[in-house]
Amino acid sequence: MRELEKLAAERAREAVKYDKLGMREEAVANYKEAIQLLLKLIRFTEDPVMKRVYEEKAKQYKERLEALLEKSLESAYTPTKNGKQHEGYHIIDPPPVKWDDVIGLEEAKKALKESIIYPSLRPEFFPLGWPRGILFFGPPGCGKTMLAAAAANEIDAVFLQADASMIMSKWLGESEKNIAALFEEARKYEREGKPVIILIDEVDSLTAFRENEVGGEARARNQLLKEMDGLQDKGRTPRIYVIAATNKPWLLDEPFIRRFQKRIYIPLPDMEARLRMLKHYTKRLDLDSSIDFNELARLTEGYSGADISQVCMEVQLKVVSEFFERGGGDKPRKITMDDFLEVMKKVKPSIRMESLKRMMEWAARYGAVS
């Protein structure tokens, strides 16, 4: 039961996160899983108080799921703001993220401003052109998607989002044709005077070299390289930017790496960033005066931004569950420092140190921020 409850909470957190980011398909999938797990908990639990908690949560997620599915149905018949949808990519309004919403990552924000924002404001100041291939690499849950969304909002760009793993699984045999269609769509909007940001997530699944790969994989990789070459200066400077993201940069092959002039390491949050995240995620919680944010920031070294968000969510669930288990009352008690310490014994960093070490070695060899 404990593991089932933990898994349900994890799926619910993922659903809410994707929902806030405007990633509808991912949110729907996670809401469905959370609901199924909650229904199992309702069926198995004998505690009437916890049963009511699970039923209320399931009802809440069902209502949100129905709302998202209704939007999906409407979008099947109604053009997006840019008038077109495609099986392999989405033309969407970027999630409403601003620079200030991205905590820390100052070097990455500076690199994006130099590559995208400033050239969009005053292109005449850049006679030699500017970088149009940007690679984000780093541990998962550290803000790569949020950075891309913030940049798109800053210049009011058309936002084309593609998932490389979906491209390979859904476009097998026609991958290269659809990659070409993605870039042609971008060029169409750019010719209308609109800047375009193409975000390719999990790009390693598309560009990694495999000894036993089939012909379609090789052709897809070569087509992407060809399209990237087409963005280079050929008498003009198109405002099309490709932002690729990966958690496994060591899988990328050399020709692909060279196409990205900016290769930006998105690290785990430092002490200051962790402190700001903790204050940000708990600003709506009822906290006891015993909370020592500086100590919590120190203890969360090695945690990603997503991990810190999970810690705060678990603390909230802990106190609210206690409230219902003891029969209710006016409101839950205040959250204490001990609550955080207890939760952190269970919620450990999701990033393995071996993976992080490998990431930093790759950054030392290939990183190119300035």
Side-chain angles (χ1 to χ4, degrees):
M1 284 287 290
R2 195 71 175 170
E3 287 301 315
L4 199 60
E5 185 178 285
K6 184 178 178 181
L7 187 57
E10 182 181 327
R11 293 276 67 80
R13 281 193 299 274
E14 290 294 301
V16 172
K17 179 184 74 174
Y18 287 126
D19 201 350
K20 288 181 178 178
L21 289 173
M23 300 169 70
R24 190 180 303 163
E25 291 182 12
E26 292 84 350
V28 166
N30 280 279
Y31 276 129
K32 286 181 178 178
E33 287 188 44
I35 292 167
Q36 290 300 318
L37 291 165
L38 285 167
L39 292 176
K40 288 182 181 179
L41 285 166
I42 292 168
R43 191 162 64 247
F44 295 141
T45 188
E46 297 179 357
D47 185 335
V49 174
M50 291 309 298
K51 183 170 288 191
R52 284 199 301 273
V53 174
Y54 299 145
E55 288 172 347
E56 183 61 33
K57 284 293 181 185
K59 179 183 177 183
Q60 177 185 338
Y61 297 147
K62 280 181 181 178
E63 289 175 354
R64 184 56 188 155
L65 175 61
E66 289 171 1
L68 287 171
L69 290 174
E70 186 178 344
K71 287 183 181 178
S72 296
L73 186 61
E74 288 174 357
S75 67
Y77 300 97
T78 306
T80 62
K81 85 168 185 179
N82 296 307
K84 186 175 181 181
Q85 292 185 331
H86 190 280
E87 181 185 1
Y89 61 86
H90 306 284
I91 306 170
I92 62 173
D93 292 324
V97 179
K98 303 296 183 184
W99 289 123
D100 291 342
D101 297 323
V102 183
I103 299 174
L105 303 177
E106 298 307 321
E107 282 194 6
K109 286 191 267 189
K110 180 175 182 290
L112 283 178
K113 289 176 182 178
E114 292 173 348
S115 303
I116 297 178
I117 310 304
Y118 300 154
S120 291
L121 294 174
R122 300 299 296 270
E124 69 272 20
F125 292 167
F126 297 84
L128 301 180
W130 50 81
R132 284 182 291 280
I134 300 168
L135 176 68
F136 288 158
F137 64 96
C142 289
K144 293 186 283 293
T145 302
M146 289 185 70
L147 279 167
N153 285 320
E154 192 73 16
I155 61 172
D156 193 25
V158 176
F159 197 60
L160 275 64
Q161 186 170 0
D163 188 311
S165 61
M166 183 176 71
I167 291 172
M168 293 308 296
S169 63
K170 289 191 174 183
W171 296 348
L172 188 60
E174 296 189 355
S175 318
E176 60 274 22
K177 182 193 302 184
N178 288 280
I179 291 172
L182 168 63
F183 280 83
E184 179 55 37
E185 190 77 8
R187 292 186 184 95
K188 184 189 80 172
Y189 287 111
E190 198 276 335
R191 286 193 291 268
E192 295 173 359
K194 302 173 183 176
V196 180
I197 289 180
I198 301 173
L199 174 62
I200 305 177
D201 203 9
E202 298 181 11
V203 73
D204 52 273
S205 63
L206 178 61
T207 61
F209 176 78
R210 301 174 179 82
E211 291 184 2
N212 299 320
E213 67 186 2
V214 297
E217 293 173 333
R219 290 195 300 271
R221 188 173 62 249
N222 292 336
Q223 182 66 40
L224 180 56
L225 294 175
K226 177 182 175 183
E227 297 292 349
M228 292 294 299
D229 287 339
L231 296 181
Q232 304 308 312
D233 292 339
K234 299 286 171 54
R236 62 188 300 271
T237 51
R239 289 195 300 162
I240 299 174
Y241 306 91
V242 179
I243 299 179
T246 178
N247 304 323
K248 302 172 184 175
W250 48 84
L251 293 180
L252 304 178
D253 65 355
E254 295 276 352
F256 178 79
I257 294 169
R258 288 199 303 271
R259 265 63 173 196
F260 286 78
Q261 303 96 323
K262 292 282 187 181
R263 299 183 288 275
I264 305 172
Y265 178 43
I266 309 299
L268 291 173
D270 59 17
M271 175 75 176
E272 181 184 351
R274 295 195 301 275
L275 180 62
R276 291 170 58 193
M277 285 178 183
L278 285 161
K279 291 181 178 179
H280 173 75
Y281 291 131
T282 60
K283 63 185 178 183
R284 291 186 292 173
L285 301 181
D286 190 8
L287 303 178
D288 183 78
S289 59
S290 64
I291 303 294
D292 185 344
F293 283 111
N294 287 300
E295 178 64 8
L296 289 176
R298 185 186 69 81
L299 292 172
T300 50
E301 182 177 3
Y303 284 65
S304 68
D307 293 335
I308 293 172
S309 174
Q310 182 181 351
V311 167
C312 297
M313 177 77 78
E314 291 291 344
V315 168
Q316 172 192 258
L317 292 174
K318 176 180 182 295
V319 173
V320 173
S321 295
E322 286 180 12
F323 169 77
F324 285 105
E325 286 169 1
R326 68 170 185 260
D330 291 336
K331 63 178 182 178
R333 64 173 175 80
K334 290 179 179 290
I335 294 170
T336 68
M337 185 70 172
D338 287 339
D339 293 319
F340 276 97
L341 297 177
E342 185 177 335
V343 164
M344 288 172 60
K345 290 178 182 177
K346 303 173 185 175
V347 180
K348 300 297 183 182
S350 61
I351 313 300
R352 293 186 299 116
M353 295 315 299
E354 299 82 8
S355 175
L356 190 61
K357 181 181 178 183
R358 193 173 185 184
M359 194 85 65
M360 295 178 72
E361 289 173 350
W362 197 91
R365 181 177 180 184
Y366 291 106
V369 176
S370 59

